[in-house]
Amino acid sequence: MLDGIVESANVHGSDLLTHEAMVFLEKLHRRFHQDLQQLEEQQNRTSMNGQLLLETKDIREASWEVKPVRKDLQERRVVLKNSASQLDSVPPQSGANLFIADYFTKSLSFTDRLIAQENLKSFIQKNFFHTVSKPIAVMITPSDWRRKDTINGLQMSASLVDFGLYVFHHTETLKRNGSAPYLCLKGLATYEEGKWWNKVLSYLEREMNLKEGTMKATITITMENVHQTEEMLYELRNHCAGIHLIEGRGITDVARYVIGIGHKRKTHVISEGSEKKIQADLFETGTREAVEGFDGKCVTDASLIQMMKGIWNHYMPEPNQMWKKRHEYLSVLADLNQTKVV
């Protein structure tokens, strides 16, 4: 997937693509482009048959936990996610505990994403330096790692461009305010992708003089990759901020399985689903999700924040529900006919 072509550091008049930023991106690209080629070849050979993997059985059976998150990510009862192109309309004082700027949308061109980076800069300045009494944590969802941006003749992974610019320009500001660069990984199909991202985060931490495990990433789980949930958590265990589960059918045994896996490994599980329902149905769904053990709800409509916060405040007075283990559902994927262990 080839996106925009950028041949100048001062393209579009942006003050983000400085000479120093371009050098930073080029160094990041040269460090990881061969790994990306190998990952792409690996993905092409991998059969996505929705089955638990025999090769990773030892990981699922071993005793390990995800490294704890910083204070600003411990409570995520309401998460607000918007397209990065709409950042200028999102107030930092929305009432959410976490804001996610989504760059993953294929319709966003390189120019759109660069404008969004400018808007993100303004958002962060308002969040930390202006009239906000309690700043919220910020994440970005970078573009698909398979997407390419051609910059100064180099075909760079768009995900590295998105996250690289974020890290380069905002790490010091985030660090001074008790936070760090966070990202939400979308579209992962296999645990090998999680392993690659873990290497990227470790490298960037060294480049920015951060302790190992400072940068954090959530993983998005769907019915397509649920059978590798535990393996993805394992590969990212030093950098993991939890799971966003997209499960369109509401509360099912698979959803309970993901809650069980996340809490077994001491990490958050956030529900992220369709909001195309009447408000009464959304209230009922949110209530069921809170009771079942989710640690929060991700919404794209800011008008739902107060309702969801009220639900989770009632059913989850503590910052999260990781004490709710759901052990009885941990074998559900092996038991279901559609997901036999091979």
Side-chain angles (χ1 to χ4, degrees):
M1 287 181 283
L2 189 62
D3 190 12
I5 296 179
V6 185
E7 297 295 346
S8 171
N10 60 4
V11 66
H12 312 302
S14 172
D15 62 355
L16 295 177
L17 284 176
T18 61
H19 173 73
E20 293 80 7
M22 297 285 278
V23 170
F24 184 82
L25 290 180
E26 182 174 339
K27 187 177 179 182
L28 184 60
H29 163 75
R30 294 193 185 281
R31 168 61 184 83
F32 287 105
H33 80 282
Q34 287 188 342
D35 288 351
L36 275 175
Q37 290 175 351
Q38 292 173 1
L39 183 60
E40 195 155 7
E41 293 171 2
Q42 199 172 40
Q43 298 291 292
N44 292 335
R45 294 194 303 266
T46 300
S47 174
M48 298 303 297
N49 54 17
Q51 297 175 326
L52 295 173
L53 302 175
L54 181 59
E55 67 196 63
T56 56
K57 184 180 178 182
D58 288 347
I59 290 175
R60 296 192 298 273
E61 294 181 349
S63 177
W64 53 269
E65 293 178 354
V66 168
K67 189 174 182 178
V69 295
R70 300 169 72 98
K71 185 178 179 180
D72 63 339
L73 288 181
Q74 290 174 9
E75 180 180 327
R76 278 172 271 168
R77 62 190 64 231
V78 183
V79 177
L80 176 63
K81 182 172 76 171
N82 276 91
S83 169
S85 64
Q86 300 172 346
L87 286 181
D88 54 345
S89 64
V90 179
Q93 62 274 23
S94 63
N97 302 97
L98 169 68
F99 175 72
I100 302 177
D102 190 353
Y103 289 78
F104 195 83
T105 308
K106 292 180 181 179
S107 61
L108 292 179
S109 66
F110 180 85
T111 302
D112 294 332
R113 287 166 34 230
L114 197 62
I115 293 171
Q117 288 275 3
E118 296 279 5
N119 291 337
L120 182 61
K121 180 179 178 181
S122 298
F123 182 91
I124 289 174
Q125 290 174 338
K126 292 176 184 176
N127 186 39
F128 289 118
F129 299 123
H130 291 175
T131 59
V132 180
S133 58
K134 185 180 179 182
I136 66 173
V138 178
M139 276 185 182
I140 74 165
T141 301
S143 301
D144 191 329
W145 60 265
R146 301 165 189 82
R147 188 176 183 180
K148 298 294 190 297
D149 294 327
T150 300
I151 302 179
N152 287 350
L154 297 174
Q155 287 194 13
M156 300 183 182
S157 168
S159 63
L160 293 183
V161 173
D162 292 340
F163 194 56
L165 286 175
Y166 179 56
V167 167
F168 181 82
H169 287 290
H170 302 302
T171 294
E172 287 304 315
T173 298
L174 295 168
K175 183 180 176 181
R176 285 196 304 269
N177 288 276
S179 191
Y182 304 140
L183 73 162
C184 182
L185 299 177
K186 190 174 181 180
L188 298 191
T190 67
Y191 70 90
E192 287 94 346
E193 293 169 79
K195 188 174 185 177
W196 176 77
W197 270 110
N198 194 67
K199 290 180 181 178
V200 171
L201 293 173
S202 292
Y203 169 83
L204 287 171
E205 285 168 337
R206 292 191 296 272
E207 288 292 303
M208 305 306 293
N209 296 314
L210 298 174
K211 287 178 60 178
E212 174 80 13
T214 299
M215 296 184 183
K216 297 293 184 182
T218 61
I219 58 173
T220 300
I221 295 296
T222 66
M223 288 300 295
E224 283 70 39
N225 65 359
V226 66
H227 59 290
Q228 295 200 30
T229 301
E230 210 153 4
E231 291 85 342
M232 291 181 186
L233 291 180
Y234 177 79
E235 296 297 348
L236 281 159
R237 62 194 181 279
N238 289 333
H239 293 105
C240 189
I243 297 168
H244 275 229
L245 175 64
I246 301 177
E247 224 282 81
R249 294 176 294 173
I251 297 295
T252 65
D253 283 353
V254 173
R256 297 182 182 103
Y257 164 82
V258 174
I259 294 171
I261 291 297
H263 290 177
K264 171 187 174 184
R265 302 305 184 181
K266 295 289 184 68
T267 197
H268 294 68
V269 184
I270 308 299
S271 172
E272 181 178 338
S274 173
E275 297 164 28
K276 296 178 181 179
K277 301 178 181 178
I278 62 174
Q279 196 156 7
D281 290 340
L282 288 170
F283 182 87
E284 180 181 352
T285 299
T287 299
R288 291 177 61 201
E289 290 171 341
V291 170
E292 290 288 349
F294 280 102
D295 301 295
K297 178 72 174 180
C298 180
V299 300
T300 59
D301 183 350
S303 69
L304 297 174
I305 291 174
Q306 293 307 315
M307 181 177 73
M308 291 302 169
K309 181 167 281 191
I311 293 171
W312 258 267
N313 285 348
H314 180 76
Y315 291 100
M316 190 182 76
E318 55 276 275
N320 54 67
Q321 300 193 88
M322 277 189 268
W323 55 270
K324 199 172 277 191
K325 300 299 184 183
R326 309 314 304 254
H327 294 299
E328 66 272 31
Y329 293 97
L330 293 180
S331 62
V332 69
L333 286 191
D335 294 340
L336 292 174
N337 292 332
Q338 66 195 31
T339 50
K340 297 177 182 176
V341 179
V342 294

